[in-house]
Amino acid sequence: MGRLTTHVLDTARGAPAANLAIDLYKITGNTEQKLKSVSTNSDGRCDKPLLEGDSFSPGKYKLIFHAAPYLEEKGDVLPKTPFLDQVVIAFGIDDAEQHYHVPLLLSAYGYSTYRGS
């Protein structure tokens, strides 16, 4: 059975990004439907898959990672207009039988992502 998971690593601190807010959207044409809002745990992961079972279906999705509030909470002094306020990762799910893992490596001025396992 397929599922969608994520985790966030704070590369500036060399640690998991705990208590980072994430929103998940499904995109259909020009419509975006918010499916859920979660926060990462002490390991930088969500306690449960973001999608699984009947809710996990092929299509276009978007994760919004609320970076600036997390970074400010950790003590980073950000400019009035942060360089990375939100990190948006738009991606597609083609096969609902597979595990799609979308990790985020984050710092105040850069990020990286990939399809993990």
Side-chain angles (χ1 to χ4, degrees), residues 22-98:
I22 304 167
D23 295 324
L24 171 65
Y25 290 81
K26 182 160 188 180
I27 303 166
T28 306
N30 293 327
T31 303
E32 296 183 0
Q33 177 188 5
K34 187 174 187 178
L35 299 180
K36 65 174 54 177
S37 295
V38 297
S39 291
T40 56
N41 61 24
S42 62
D43 195 33
R45 298 177 183 274
C46 300
D47 290 329
K48 297 179 181 179
L50 297 171
L51 294 173
E52 64 182 334
D54 292 338
S55 68
F56 186 69
S57 61
K60 294 181 179 182
Y61 293 85
K62 175 169 74 173
L63 286 167
I64 300 177
F65 297 85
H66 297 275
Y70 162 79
L71 294 165
E72 288 173 332
E73 179 185 301
K74 292 298 178 185
D76 287 8
V77 178
L78 302 178
K80 183 177 178 181
T81 304
F83 182 69
L84 293 176
D85 183 22
Q86 298 177 336
V87 174
V88 179
I89 301 174
F91 60 97
I93 293 173
D94 186 58
D95 182 353
E97 296 299 316
Q98 293 186 22

